[in-house]
Amino acid sequence: MLDIENVWDWSFMWDTFAFILKIVAPFLMIIIAILGVGAMLFMVVKAVAEAVRK
């Protein structure tokens, strides 16, 4: 059997992954915050519209 354990440099891969995650995380948080506010606004508008109908 071939020993492929040493083919991958896992510390380099994890360091690269962590670096990319540190760069991308703030942008993901902005997108998630926008989606969350949009969902809450949708729920409030829907609840108000339903309350006005009654």
Side-chain angles (χ1 to χ4, degrees):
M1 287 261 341
L2 295 173
D3 183 21
I4 61 169
E5 182 179 343
N6 296 327
V7 173
W8 305 103
D9 186 3
W10 292 112
S11 62
F12 172 75
M13 294 178 90
W14 282 117
D15 289 343
T16 305
F17 177 72
F19 176 73
I20 292 171
L21 194 61
K22 286 177 189 174
I23 292 173
V24 173
F27 300 107
L28 285 177
M29 289 299 288
I30 291 170
I31 293 170
I32 290 170
I34 290 170
L35 290 174
V37 169
M40 287 197 327
L41 278 173
F42 176 75
M43 288 170 34
V44 168
V45 168
K46 188 176 176 183
V48 168
E50 191 172 321
V52 168
R53 261 190 259 156
K54 288 184 178 182

